Amino acid sequence: MKGVMEPTRSTAELVMAGSVLHAGRLITQIENGHDEARHTMRQLMRSCGKAQLIGVTGPPGSGKSTLVAALIRQLRRAQRTVGVVAVDPSSPFSGGALLGDRDRMLEAASGDRDVFIRSLASRGAAGGLAAAVNDAVDVMDAMGKDVVIIETVGVGQGEFDIARIAHTVVLVLVPGYGDALQVMKAGITEIADVIVVNKGDLPDARTALKELKGHGFTRRGPGAGEPWNVPVIQASALRQEGIADIVAAVNEHYMFTGSSGWRQAIERGRRRAQFADVASARLRAELLTAAGQALDDGQLADPCTAAEEFVRHVMAATAREPASGSGREMEKR
Ligand SMILES: Nc1nc2c(ncn2[C@@H]2O[C@H](COP(=O)(O)OP(=O)(O)OP(=O)(O)O)[C@@H](O)[C@H]2O)c(=O)[nH]1
Ligand SMILES: [Mg+2]
């Protein structure tokens, strides 16, 4: 009998073929800052850029995870494959809650091969949370998931900004938090593309909805095109009401960003932030090592001046760096 050797497939190939096992391991490697993960990510990048990225954010307990579970069901009904990155805000108290969230979402996925859910904790991410979230999103994108949902608590004040990652940001509010003034104060209107007043089964939902709708929030992409009118949708994630409306609004926004050049700007902004996040985390680690040495050598009596000088020195060195030409030419590029 002639034995045919099975060619060994690389992790990247296995992930691209949709292996949940290998994708899960890869994300763990990313969290641990494993060198091998960078190598795999490099290979995966060429398969990225196809998924629709949806951010789900809002205050603690507004029903984000319940809504994500409902969205999974709705998207699966339309035969769309789904990845979820649930970001733990790092509070040691939310460990249990996160587990509950996962259960809820897993129930919605219940053995479905086309749903992949992963939670990330900032305390675990070696290279910074933003970098880990971006990598996890890229992994799910490379797996071929049609939609990747990123769930995170809070808006803008976190360690990373969901508006820099997602094509569409869904803000989940609840009756009581819903008055327009509070929402504006929180700076939320800057990033919400779709507003959901969740827990519509509760008594105050109508008032909140009316007030938010009355305000008429708009968003603008780059350039002088038409503004996007932010829809305000009442829903009950618990009773799975209003979920189809949310999906329709998200898809409409996605189309809008595609036709207005906005989406390209979002994607460019994401890659720019990703570069800066990874580079600054790496540099910070290197700098702390170098600073430790300098401190031991007694060179940090005036740390601020030393830092300024160091940066000037590095900037001058990198400006001279390119083999083909001077710093002046680099400026022109
Ligand atoms: N009445 C009602 N309760 C809801 C609804 N959606 C979620 N809840 C409840 O609200 C609580 C919080 O729901 P989660 O989905 O965990 O909220 P979350 O925003 O993900 O919470 P964190 O991730 O901890 O910030 C749970 O007890 C849910 O059952 C809803 O539509 N109506
Ligand atoms: Mg949650």
Side-chain angles (χ1 to χ4, degrees):
M1 218 173 87
K2 237 166 54 185
V4 180
M5 286 277 282
E6 267 280 315
T8 324
R9 294 210 283 175
S10 69
T11 302
E13 283 168 327
L14 290 159
V15 170
M16 287 189 275
S19 165
V20 168
L21 180 75
H22 289 86
R25 277 190 197 153
L26 175 58
I27 295 174
T28 303
Q29 282 186 346
I30 289 163
E31 282 187 299
N32 297 337
H34 216 285
D35 279 345
E36 176 131 359
R38 288 264 57 90
H39 174 70
T40 308
M41 288 310 296
R42 243 192 320 273
Q43 294 174 313
L44 287 184
M45 285 315 288
R46 67 189 137 94
S47 305
C48 288
K50 297 185 206 100
Q52 179 180 355
L53 311 182
I54 305 172
V56 174
T57 191
S62 58
K64 297 177 292 297
S65 299
T66 314
L67 180 67
V68 170
L71 289 173
I72 292 173
R73 287 203 171 89
Q74 184 71 27
L75 291 163
R76 292 301 298 133
R77 270 199 283 273
Q79 316 293 330
R80 306 194 74 195
T81 59
V82 187
V84 177
V85 181
V87 184
D88 167 8
S90 90
S91 149
F93 304 109
S94 60
L98 194 73
L99 229 57
D101 287 358
R102 247 179 86 88
D103 285 351
R104 237 190 312 275
M105 287 195 256
L106 284 174
E107 204 182 290
S110 70
D112 186 343
R113 277 209 60 214
D114 290 318
V115 179
F116 180 52
I117 297 167
R118 180 62 193 241
S119 48
L120 289 179
S122 60
R123 57 182 172 277
L129 183 62
V133 172
N134 268 305
D135 279 340
V137 168
D138 283 336
V139 169
M140 293 188 186
D141 187 358
M143 283 173 90
K145 296 291 175 254
D146 297 321
V147 179
V148 179
I149 303 176
I150 307 111
E151 182 200 329
T152 174
V153 176
V155 180
Q157 83 273 35
E159 280 176 71
F160 76 99
D161 199 343
I162 200 167
R164 281 180 176 172
I165 300 181
H167 293 124
T168 303
V169 174
V170 177
L171 173 66
V172 184
L173 298 174
V174 283
Y177 192 89
D179 71 279
L181 201 72
Q182 263 195 51
V183 172
M184 285 182 66
K185 263 197 216 150
I188 281 164
T189 45
E190 309 285 314
I191 69 145
D193 301 306
V194 174
I195 296 178
V196 173
V197 179
N198 190 34
K199 310 200 183 182
D201 50 292
L202 296 183
D204 287 341
R206 270 253 166 79
T207 326
L209 189 80
K210 225 173 114 188
E211 210 172 320
L212 285 165
K213 270 194 166 160
H215 191 277
F217 297 108
T218 56
R219 290 261 289 138
R220 246 174 220 289
E226 286 286 300
W228 166 256
N229 297 314
V230 177
V232 182
I233 300 167
Q234 181 170 334
S236 169
L238 204 60
R239 295 188 188 168
Q240 308 218 30
E241 288 165 6
I243 310 303
D245 293 344
I246 298 170
V247 171
V250 166
N251 286 340
E252 199 185 319
H253 177 259
Y254 186 67
M255 300 293 283
F256 183 89
T257 61
S259 59
S260 62
W262 191 356
R263 195 188 303 164
Q264 223 184 358
I266 294 167
E267 286 170 357
R268 281 164 52 91
R270 175 177 172 223
R271 293 314 185 191
R272 206 175 113 205
Q274 208 172 356
F275 168 85
D277 285 339
V278 173
S280 50
R282 275 298 299 273
L283 285 175
R284 189 175 164 75
E286 298 283 350
L287 283 171
L288 284 172
T289 310
Q293 188 60 51
L295 193 65
D296 290 346
D297 296 349
Q299 293 166 1
L300 291 190
D302 180 357
C304 295
T305 309
E308 294 275 355
E309 270 168 22
F310 179 81
V311 170
R312 256 198 302 278
H313 183 76
V314 170
M315 295 307 283
T318 48
R320 275 195 303 270
E321 191 77 356
S324 60
S326 66
R328 202 163 278 279
E329 272 172 25
M330 211 175 132
E331 268 169 35
K332 277 190 266 167
R333 253 180 261 157

